[in-house]
Each structure stands twice: as structure tokens, then as C-alpha cells.
Amino acid sequence: MAATDMTAETGTPSTRARRLGALARSELTLLVRNRYALFTAVLMPPLMVLVLRSTLAQADLGPTGMNALEGALTGGLALMLVLVVYLNLTSAYVARREELVLKRLRTGEVTDGEILTGTALSAAAPALAQSVLMVLAGTLFLDVKAPQRPELLLAGLLLGTVMLAGLAALTAAVTRTTESAQITTLPLFMVSVMGSGLFVPLETFPDGVAEVCELLPLTGVTTVIRTGWLGTGGGSELLEAAVVAAVWAILSGYAARRWFRWEPRR
Amino acid sequence: MTNDEYEYEYAIRADGLRRRYAGARGGFEAVRGIDLAVEHGEIFALLGTNGAGKTSTVELLEGLAEPSGGTVRVLGRDPYRQRAEVRPRIGVMLQEGGFPSDLTVAETVRMWAGCTTGARPVGEALELTGLGGRAAVRVKQLSGGERRRLDLALALLGRPEVLFLDEPTTGLDAEGRRETWRLVRRLREGGTTVLLTTHYLEEAESLADRLAIMHGGRIVAAGTPAEVTAARPARIRFTLPEGVPAGRLPLSLRAASEDGRRVEIRTPDLQQALGELLFWARESAVRLEGLDARSASLEEAFLDIARDATDPRDQTTDTFGTEKAGV
């Protein structure tokens, strides 16, 4: 017995951080080798900022207190999270499940939560890189003010990442193939684009509609990000947005653990 | 959990193990009360027809699922509830597991090593399973046999004390199969306990110290290969020339023939029966065409058991779903 205990103790012990790092690293490698996912992660976000800017240039931004470029960059950050975290992660979860990778992983030391988190980290990394690039590009080259409340901006990005990773896992649960992921991710994508104040400011919506839109997953995140960067808004409006974002993040994380599917349907 | 010390005498121990899958009409019970005790350093084979419940059983032993009844101990611990303590000490190779197809072999092993306590170096793990030359190849370009060996490399990565192999050689060619056998024997020499399932009977016969044959979710025979086959009769077959009816054979041979020419003799004492037959043939100047005599093999035993166990009253079929619920 002493001998067997010895072998268990020699060698590098497997820690949570090491396991998460190993999973995230291999997922990042796979991201770089997947042309479609790489395009979504690298080129789509700046393209979206351009589209947002030309759309917002024609909108009445008066009541929002920001100009078209500021609206495009802050909205672009939120939309970037949808692309880089939600769309790509949904495909990654589905692909790994259908290849029976998840089933195989679950026979090892890594826990279920670590598998979901480690994979999510591989989407959080490019999301962070895009955020840094967009803030730098805006501040250094486009005459946008530097983030007014950086801690709030970071919190918004973080909440958005957690929430969208959870929603990606949930979406993956109802998605059978990576091809059909392009369809199953569409509803949240469309709802976010139309109703979360990205292309059309919520202030221009009728009151009843705007109130419902306030509760959409990405609306709270967008508001927190905007307040963090531009310093506009604040007070009860900010608090409400932060609560909405946090509730979505917690609920989607919990629901993902509860309903995620680990093996293909037969 | 009260008698951990006692149970730790065995590497693997199961008592009254049951597994029920939820489903219509009360679901389906794939494992129906199994007792197992695998000693440290032993190779134990679980045999059975398709659908006999082998994989369902192994998944319970590996801690991938919670039994609906009975207890499992692996190295004295509950593999499902004490997963974090058991997993670092076991290695698992599923019957059907996967790897990301766009990673290379080396990347796959490196990823797995990052998730494994006391992992072997990547190169060593690949050499062990003969994949040393394939390190830079993408998983999707591997042959079926190579994927099986990659799977085995991952199972061995953490130098496990107990190794679970679910049909480890399915899809391998004869040479690959023998390579795997050599590796498994070498692991046993190093003190590893191996529980494997297989439907190749020669594999169980040549590898296993002990084995159990499953049928319909139960263990219907268990012991060393010699013990399992010892209880079974040997068999002699031949064809008599025209004009020599089977009735002329000595009665003591208890020969059976369906058409009067092709004869089968089943006997617990092969030497005695064969001697008597050959003596009679020489005395009667009869040539026995296609004479074939063989001791009971595991295959014979297996087929016998599968036949016997299919009791018509129990309508046990091997297919999920068509199984009558609640039998």
C-alpha cells in the first residue's frame, strides 16, 4: 500500500489551473485551425463596428448623449462578445460533443465544470484581445475619450462573457451538428442586434417596447459597457442594467450546468 | 464505506451491482446483480455477447454512472462519489471515445497530460503504444487502429494502478492485437491491475488470469480460463464411409449422428474416447474422414453458456428496447 501511495504522489499533480490551461490551449489551437471560427473571431468584429457606425450615423442619437463612433465602438464591444463568445463557443461545444471528445474527457480527472470553463476560456481570450484592440484603436486613433470607468467596462465585458458562454452551452444542448449551430444561434443574435440598443438606440423605441428590451440578455451588458467607457448614464439606470446582466449571467451559468448534453443523441 | 480496509484487499470489487436505464414501461435493467472481485495485479476479462451488459457494467466500475443498486469499490473507494480520489489512480479506455480531429497526436497527448496527475512525458506515452512516428499527424488522418492506440496511450498516461479497457483491440489487425497483448502483459508485470472487456475469446484465453462471462446482465460463469472450460466436454468429429452406419460404433462412445454418416462425440475424457474410437477404426478397417478432435475451448464454453442461458421462459434478447420490461 505504501508503494502505491508513493507513485500517486510523485510527478506533477494535476491542479485546476493546469487542467483549465491545458483545455483552453488545445481549444485555441483548434480555433486557429478552423477557418470559419477564425474569421468570426478576427475579422467580423471590426467589420461590425464599421457597419454599426454607418447605421448610427443616420440615427437620432440626441437623447443618448453619444456620437455615432462612440455608439459603434461600445455597441461593437457587445456585438463582438456575441460573435466571439456565443457563436464560436456554441459550435465548439457541439463539435466536441459530436466527436465524443467530451465523453472521453469525462473519464479523466477533469470535472464537468472545468470542461465547460476551459473551453469557454478559449473564447474569452480572443474576446479580451479584441476588447483591448478596440479600446486602443478608439482612444489612440479615433479621438474617442479613454474609458471613464475602466473597472465598470471590465465588469461589463466579464459579465457578458460569462452570460454568453452559459447561453452557448445551453444552445449547444439543443443543437445536433455544427452546421445547424448556424441556425440555432440566430434567434439570440437577431434579438440582441435589434433589441439591445446596438443599431437602434432604445431611447427611440416606444416606452412599452423599450422596457421589455431592457430585460434582454445583451441590453444590460451593453449599458454597463457604455457607462464604463463613455461615463454617460449611471445611477439607478446603471444599477438596473447591472442587475439584469448579473441575473442573466448567473441563470445561464446554472442552466448550462443543469441541461448541458455530454453525449450525442442516438 | 464501513469496511474500506476489507474491500481494499481487492483492486476492484462489486456487490449486487445493478444498472437501470430510464425509459418507457419501467425502463430497462442492463446490469442485474453482479458480484465481482478483482485482485491487485490481475488481468480480469469480462466476456459476453453484444448487449450482455459489459459496457454498462464497466461504466459503473469506472465511476461514469451511478449504480441503481449495489456497491462498487475501486482501490477501496466509491468511484462515483469519491471520483476525485479514484480518478488519478485509474486509466480508462472507452469502447468509443473521441479526440478533436484537427489536433495532432502529440497535441492530443499534451492536452491530456495537462489534465492528468503524474503524467508520463508525451514521447514516452507515444513510444509505449508504437505511435512515436506519428506525433505530428492530425488525428483525422489516423487509421482506426492508430486511433485505438492513441486512446490506449491516454489511458496509460498517468501510470494507473487500475486500468479499464473496453474492447481495446476491436478494429486492430492481428499484429496490432498481439502488440497490445504484449503491452498489457508488461503492465501486469509492473503491478497494474487490468479489467478488460472483449468479444475475442482467444484474447481472454491468452491474456486473462481470470474471467467472467456475462449474459443478459448477469454473470453466468467465472473463474480462470481453465476452470471455465474444464466443466465443458471435449468434442470429436468425423465422417464414416458409405455402408458403415453409425450404429456400428461402440456404444460406450455415445456417438450422435443426424444423417448416419457425420458423427459427433462429446466427452469429458478426450484421450479415453479418442483411443477407443481409433482402436475400433483399425479393428474394423474403417477410414474416418475429416477426423477432428479438440479439447473444450473457451469458445465452446462461451457458446454453450450463451445457449444454456437463453432460457425460453425468460425471453432474454440481446437488443436494448426489445427486452421485456420488468422480467
Side-chain angles (χ1 to χ4, degrees):
Chain A
M1 222 159 102
T4 54
D5 284 346
M6 289 273 288
T7 51
E9 276 162 29
T10 53
T12 327
S14 173
T15 60
R16 182 173 298 251
R18 220 169 133 251
R19 293 194 290 267
L20 288 175
L23 287 171
R25 180 180 170 187
S26 78
E27 279 300 325
L28 267 174
T29 310
L30 290 165
L31 174 72
V32 171
R33 288 182 190 161
N34 179 335
R35 209 170 298 162
Y36 180 82
L38 192 62
F39 175 77
T40 307
V42 176
L43 291 180
M44 282 285 273
L47 282 176
M48 281 298 174
V49 173
L50 291 180
V51 176
L52 274 172
R53 184 169 188 272
S54 59
T55 312
L56 288 175
Q58 279 135 50
D60 172 22
L61 291 177
T64 64
M66 58 184 182
N67 64 36
L69 184 60
E70 291 172 338
L73 279 172
T74 50
L77 279 175
L79 197 50
M80 177 275 295
L81 291 180
V82 175
L83 296 166
V84 177
V85 178
Y86 180 65
L87 294 193
N88 274 351
L89 210 44
T90 303
S91 303
Y93 285 138
V94 171
R96 263 17 113 218
R97 183 190 64 214
E98 296 301 311
E99 290 173 323
L100 298 175
V101 175
L102 301 183
K103 183 179 180 183
R104 185 72 181 84
L105 278 173
R106 291 179 97 205
T107 65
E109 292 174 48
V110 62
T111 66
D112 289 356
E114 286 165 5
I115 295 174
L116 292 179
T117 311
T119 308
L121 284 178
S122 74
L128 182 68
Q130 287 283 14
S131 306
V132 171
L133 280 177
M134 281 162 80
V135 170
L136 285 180
T139 321
L140 297 180
F141 304 114
L142 300 172
D143 271 346
V144 177
K145 54 192 153 194
Q148 302 296 295
R149 298 171 67 179
E151 76 290 348
L152 210 54
L153 176 58
L154 198 64
L157 290 167
L158 208 63
L159 275 176
T161 303
V162 172
M163 176 189 86
L164 289 166
L167 291 174
L170 271 179
T171 308
V174 297
T175 310
R176 285 192 181 219
T177 66
T178 47
E179 286 80 24
S180 55
Q182 293 173 31
I183 293 162
T184 54
T185 51
L186 218 49
L188 181 73
F189 182 78
M190 294 310 284
V191 161
S192 301
V193 166
M194 317 264 251
S196 289
L198 303 181
F199 282 90
V200 188
L202 290 187
E203 284 81 352
T204 62
F205 282 10
D207 275 356
V209 179
E211 268 164 39
V212 173
C213 288
E214 301 282 352
L215 299 176
L216 293 176
L218 208 64
T219 311
V221 170
T222 308
T223 306
V224 175
I225 288 174
R226 280 197 168 137
T227 310
W229 191 340
L230 305 173
T232 53
S236 65
E237 209 173 301
L238 173 66
L239 187 69
E240 194 189 304
V243 168
V244 168
V247 167
W248 273 107
I250 292 165
L251 279 185
S252 64
Y254 174 81
R257 285 298 305 273
R258 174 89 176 65
W259 282 296
F260 190 70
R261 296 190 64 87
W262 295 96
E263 288 177 35
R265 265 178 243 250
R266 288 295 145 104
Chain B
M1 237 161 283
T2 48
N3 44 3
D4 269 6
E5 281 309 313
Y6 166 67
E7 284 170 312
Y8 199 32
E9 278 177 41
Y10 296 98
I12 305 167
R13 196 184 155 99
D15 289 292
L17 201 57
R18 288 177 176 277
R19 182 170 186 189
R20 176 173 286 281
Y21 292 96
R25 288 178 293 142
F28 166 64
E29 191 165 46
V31 182
R32 306 175 169 201
I34 276 185
D35 301 321
L36 269 183
V38 180
E39 301 200 15
H40 291 279
E42 176 172 62
I43 299 179
F44 191 96
L46 209 49
L47 299 173
T49 46
N50 284 333
K54 301 188 297 282
T55 296
S56 293
T57 304
V58 174
E59 285 179 356
L60 295 179
L61 303 178
E62 293 162 344
L64 298 182
E66 191 171 24
S68 48
T71 57
V72 192
R73 291 292 177 273
V74 172
L75 298 167
R77 310 262 153 79
D78 182 331
Y80 186 79
R81 291 173 185 277
Q82 294 170 292
R83 180 181 184 285
E85 289 164 62
V86 176
R87 286 292 169 84
R89 302 172 66 184
I90 68 173
V92 171
M93 177 171 165
L94 294 173
Q95 192 179 122
E96 202 188 17
F99 316 104
S101 49
D102 278 320
L103 288 184
T104 67
V105 169
E107 284 164 350
T108 305
V109 179
R110 197 179 304 132
M111 185 263 274
W112 199 265
C115 297
T116 303
T117 299
R120 298 172 195 266
V122 173
E124 181 188 322
L126 291 179
E127 287 304 328
L128 208 55
T129 51
L131 283 172
R134 305 289 279 164
V137 176
R138 298 267 173 101
V139 167
K140 64 181 168 196
Q141 282 153 357
L142 295 180
S143 70
E146 284 171 332
R147 288 174 73 109
R148 245 13 226 147
R149 283 189 278 154
L150 173 58
D151 209 333
L152 183 59
L154 299 191
L156 296 175
L157 203 55
R159 302 173 207 275
E161 292 165 63
V162 178
L163 183 62
F164 294 93
L165 305 174
D166 199 354
E167 299 200 359
T169 61
T170 301
L172 295 189
D173 56 21
E175 179 52 28
R177 191 166 301 155
R178 265 160 231 291
E179 275 301 325
T180 303
W181 293 359
R182 272 197 284 277
L183 178 56
V184 170
R185 287 201 192 95
R186 228 163 66 215
L187 290 167
R188 172 178 54 188
E189 282 161 27
T192 310
T193 307
V194 182
L195 185 136
L196 65 95
T197 74
T198 180
H199 55 238
Y200 299 114
L201 297 162
E202 37 160 342
E203 182 162 299
E205 203 154 23
S206 91
L207 264 188
D209 299 307
R210 287 193 306 131
L211 57 91
I213 298 178
M214 283 189 75
H215 187 79
R218 296 188 180 88
I219 288 178
V220 289
T224 65
E227 282 165 2
V228 171
T229 51
R232 304 280 146 184
R235 195 198 65 198
I236 306 168
R237 274 184 191 150
F238 54 89
T239 305
L240 288 168
E242 220 154 329
V244 183
R248 280 177 53 192
L249 286 163
L251 276 177
S252 58
L253 287 176
R254 286 190 284 169
S257 174
E258 277 177 18
D259 59 2
R261 289 190 59 202
R262 270 181 302 193
V263 180
E264 181 170 304
I265 296 170
R266 295 168 82 84
T267 169
D269 189 344
L270 182 58
Q271 187 182 343
Q272 159 71 30
L274 193 57
E276 197 172 339
L277 174 69
L278 293 177
F279 181 74
W280 170 83
R282 194 165 66 183
E283 290 286 287
S284 327
V286 167
R287 181 150 187 86
L288 304 172
E289 289 296 333
L291 177 62
D292 173 41
R294 58 182 63 187
S295 316
S297 69
L298 196 53
E299 181 164 1
E300 296 262 326
F302 181 75
L303 292 173
D304 253 22
I305 288 165
R307 235 188 339 257
D308 295 350
T310 314
D311 184 22
R313 282 166 303 173
D314 189 29
Q315 280 306 308
T316 308
T317 60
D318 286 332
T319 334
F320 278 61
T322 58
E323 173 76 43
K324 256 170 58 182
V327 174

